[in-house]
Each structure stands twice: as structure tokens, then as C-alpha cells.
Amino acid sequence: MVSRRDRATMTTTAAPAASRLTGIWYAHWGTGLACLALGAGVVGWGYDAAVLGRFVVGGLAAMLVQMVAIAAWRRRIGPEAASLADWLTLGRAAAGSLLAGLVAGGEHDRLGLAGWLGCLVLLLGATVTDWLDGPLVRRRGPTRLGAALDIEADSWITLWAGAAGIAWGGLPWVVVIAPLLHYLHPLRAWLAGQVPQSDGVAWARVPGTAQMVLFAAALLPIASVERDAWLTWAAYPVAAAQSLTMLLTLRRR
């Protein structure tokens, strides 16, 4: 039988754990909704209600998918305090959901407001937050949750950057094969009772960087037939190299 003192101890220790568990949940929604609200303001100012509605529905759907994934990994990891670096990582994930909303919005004008917004979201989400959360992690130490969030946030924004590159960047559909293949990694980790981890392979960063450069170049609001032709030509070897990297790193685990 559990004594009153033991029950009190269990209650006091469970309360902070539950607080930490729900904290990252609220952080995800708060960060995502803030980004989505800003994006909706821009989209609503430049386009009609139909585009705005599709943008909001697409962005919210993407956030919901990510929220379910975060909750699943959170339960797998257990109670662990979130850090400021995790908030920045959630901002990168929210940028991916914002790109999903722009793709769903259907107003795919690279030289217009949607094109400028998509380019800005990608550059800020993929570079600024990534540069800032690294020093914070090194200063305060990594967490299992932060490592999983970092990998999946990178994957999420990469996937939707590729979709945006197809929608209004002129890229061929093959560029989303590698981002989709990446999700074999967290699936395998989940089935094995683990959490996503970095590949730890230095050479794997080269095709990954080339892929992100390709997506960023495709989303730049510049009209150039020559640029489009070069990007289309480059898309196939970059997509093939990154897809092969995904399969090889999967086999290493």
C-alpha cells in the first residue's frame, strides 16, 4: 500500500514532469500559430479570401501532423525540460508548416507576394534559427528531445521547400523523393523503440547542403529562363545524390 507521504512525493514529482511534457506542446502551438498568423496577414493583404482560406487550412493541417509526431516522440523520450534552443527549433518547424500553407494556397507567383514570403520563410527558417540554436545547445548541453526535434524540423522544412520549389520554382517532381525517403529513418527508429538521431556521417552533409541550395535558388523571386534551365538540369543529379545518401545512411544504422 502506498502511504500518504509516498503519494505526496509522487504528486510533487509528477507535476513538474507533466508541466514539462505539456510545455513543449504549448510551445509548438504558440510558435506555429504566431507564424501562421503573420503569414495569414500577408496573404490576406495580397490575395483574395479563397487563397487565404486554403493557406490557413493547409498550414493548420501541417501543424497538426507535426504536433502528433512531436507528442509521439515526447512520450517515447519521457519527461525532459525543453530549452531555448528547442523553441528556435520549433520556429524552424513552423516555417515548414508556413511553406505548406503557401503551397496549399495555390497562388504560386514567384515574383509576387507569395513568392517573396516563401523565400523569406525558407531563408529565415533554414539558416537563422539553425545558426542560433547550435551555440545554445553547445552552451547548455544537448537533450534527447532537442536532438529529435532538430532532425525532424530540418526534414519538415526541407520537404515543404521541395514542394514549393515544384509549385512555383520550376523544379521537377523528383526533388521531393529524397525528403520523403528521409522519413524511413524516423519510422525505423520508432519501430525499434528508439528516437531519431543524427547520421554522424560527414559526407552526408554535402548532398544535403546542395539540395537546400537548390531549393533556395528555385524560390528566389527572380525571372530568368537561363536560371530555370540550369536549376532543372541540376535538380536531377542533386536529387539522385541525396536519395542515395538517404538509403546508404539508412543501411548503416
Side-chain angles (χ1 to χ4, degrees), residues 135-222:
L136 287 173
V137 170
R138 288 189 291 271
R139 177 176 298 181
R140 300 190 178 185
T143 63
R144 295 183 72 200
L145 174 64
L149 287 177
D150 186 64
I151 294 171
E152 297 315 306
D154 287 345
S155 305
W156 194 241
I157 195 171
T158 300
L159 173 63
W160 289 107
I166 296 171
W168 68 81
L171 295 180
W173 64 270
V174 295
V175 298
V176 294
I177 293 178
L180 290 174
L181 283 175
H182 166 81
Y183 284 96
L184 293 174
H185 292 251
L187 177 60
R188 181 174 181 177
W190 179 264
L191 294 177
Q194 303 171 351
V195 295
Q197 296 179 352
S198 174
D199 297 322
V201 183
W203 56 263
R205 299 177 183 176
V206 176
T209 301
Q211 175 182 249
M212 188 55 70
V213 170
L214 176 71
F215 294 164
L219 296 188
L220 286 175
I222 299 173

Side-chain angles (χ1 to χ4, degrees), residues 212-253:
M212 188 55 70
V213 170
L214 176 71
F215 294 164
L219 296 188
L220 286 175
I222 299 173
S224 171
V225 176
E226 292 79 9
R227 195 276 308 260
D228 291 348
W230 276 103
L231 289 180
T232 300
W233 176 86
Y236 290 97
V238 169
Q242 182 64 354
S243 297
L244 181 61
T245 298
M246 292 294 100
L247 296 175
L248 289 177
T249 52
L250 182 68
R251 186 177 180 181
R252 286 173 57 91
R253 297 184 178 185

